[in-house]
Amino acid sequence: MMRRVLIGAAFLLALAACGGKRELTPAPGESLPPKPAAEPTPLTPTQLITPSVQARPQRSDELLKQSEERRDDRFNLPPR
């Protein structure tokens, strides 16, 4: 029983050590994608994997300070 626990712990330790941190580079023989037309310089690999604001919007913690009447919605029509 103790041997299984030690083997499991060694496996988990080895698995945790796999996640090395180093700069991302393209695979051998490959190049980075072409730069976007609006960018002055090509993007780095880190910039390429960072999600955009649209992909991960920020949370708004704005609390409603006071009650407000809803504006009239001209598209809120009764069903036909």
Side-chain angles (χ1 to χ4, degrees):
M1 177 70 177
M2 186 65 159
R3 185 175 176 166
R4 285 185 180 175
V5 171
L6 287 175
I7 291 173
F11 175 73
L12 290 176
L13 183 63
L15 184 63
C18 287
K21 288 192 171 199
R22 62 176 189 236
E23 189 65 30
L24 294 173
T25 57
E30 298 290 325
S31 64
L32 290 174
K35 80 174 190 68
E39 291 292 325
T41 59
L43 298 174
T44 64
T46 305
Q47 290 171 324
L48 288 170
I49 64 169
T50 303
S52 68
V53 175
Q54 281 186 320
R56 299 199 56 171
Q58 297 294 318
R59 180 178 173 189
S60 175
D61 290 334
E62 177 80 23
L63 298 175
L64 185 61
K65 303 291 184 201
Q66 62 186 19
S67 192
E68 297 175 1
E69 277 290 320
R70 273 193 175 179
R71 295 183 313 189
D72 189 32
D73 184 4
R74 63 185 178 139
F75 295 106
N76 187 14
L77 302 173
R80 287 184 167 212

